[in-house]
Amino acid sequence: EAQNTGKRMMSATLHAFILLVLASCCVAQTDFADIRRGGSLPSASTLRWKYHVDGGDIRAAPQQASNGNVIISSLGGHLHSLNPRTGVKAWKFYSSELASSVAFLSDGTAIVGSYDRNVYAVTPSGVKAWTYLTGDNVRATPLVVVGDYIYIGSRDGYMYKLTSAGALVWKYQTGGAVLSTAAELRDGR
């Protein structure tokens, strides 16, 4: 009975984690740090820079890394790190068809899902740190919580909890494809 209670509690917790996030994608053309300090967005007619993303659409929201760079994943399999002021590429990482937005570990490592069934960890300098193979493509954006644990769902119907080193802590069968992002509850669960 204690085991069944534990499973029900895990099920309730995981179901609370699943949150549908609809993210529209546009490449930011300003310095995010200026906005956080109370600055404003440039007018709609101001184009500071543009960057050609070769080999695929951008279907996931760009994110800002701790060093200030904008990180963009594309279906062409590239993860791009761009200077937000100039649009100059800092680095480009290639895997396969990247599918999700990125989340970051405390050391700045980017975590991203891919249509090739892998979860990738890419260091702040653009080098692959590790991969974790799931049973199907990974469209969901990862969630990184205190302790650098990673929660990410896959189309294989599992929610995964990984360590910052890419080791599996547990996986939970949800009964259907997980295409949305996990969410952390206010109490840290």
Side-chain angles (χ1 to χ4, degrees):
E1 185 173 299
Q3 187 177 15
N4 287 337
T5 301
K7 285 182 181 179
R8 283 193 302 271
M9 288 176 60
M10 181 181 280
S11 176
T13 300
L14 286 175
H15 287 146
F17 266 54
I18 298 172
L19 171 69
L20 178 61
V21 174
L22 301 173
S24 63
C25 179
C26 67
V27 177
Q29 298 169 348
T30 190
D31 182 355
F32 297 127
D34 287 346
I35 294 169
R36 282 196 301 269
R37 288 190 297 268
S40 61
L41 290 169
S43 70
S45 63
T46 303
L47 175 65
R48 291 194 180 177
W49 53 264
K50 63 183 180 177
Y51 179 82
H52 176 72
V53 176
D54 50 329
D57 294 341
I58 299 171
R59 294 191 184 169
Q63 300 295 320
Q64 187 173 30
S66 59
N67 67 1
N69 283 358
V70 176
I71 308 296
I72 302 168
S73 65
S74 72
L75 289 179
H78 292 101
L79 197 61
H80 307 262
S81 176
L82 308 175
N83 179 302
R85 289 189 183 276
T86 65
V88 172
K89 175 180 69 179
W91 52 260
K92 182 166 68 171
F93 170 80
Y94 177 78
S95 69
S96 182
E97 294 179 290
L98 296 174
S100 73
S101 286
V102 299
F104 299 98
L105 298 175
S106 61
D107 68 358
T109 297
I111 307 297
V112 63
S114 179
Y115 281 115
D116 70 3
R117 305 182 320 171
N118 283 295
V119 178
Y120 287 89
V122 181
T123 67
S125 58
V127 176
K128 179 175 70 175
W130 53 262
T131 59
Y132 182 85
L133 182 65
T134 70
D136 205 336
N137 65 52
V138 182
R139 295 186 200 181
T141 298
L143 171 69
V144 176
V145 299
V146 173
D148 274 350
Y149 288 105
I150 302 154
Y151 293 89
I152 192 163
S154 171
R155 194 171 173 92
D156 65 4
Y158 284 94
M159 175 64 77
Y160 295 84
K161 181 179 182 180
L162 306 174
T163 68
S164 61
L168 178 68
V169 176
W170 52 254
K171 67 180 186 177
Y172 174 78
Q173 189 170 18
T174 64
V178 181
L179 306 175
S180 58
T181 304
E184 183 177 16
L185 300 176
R186 289 184 187 190
D187 64 1
R189 291 183 288 142

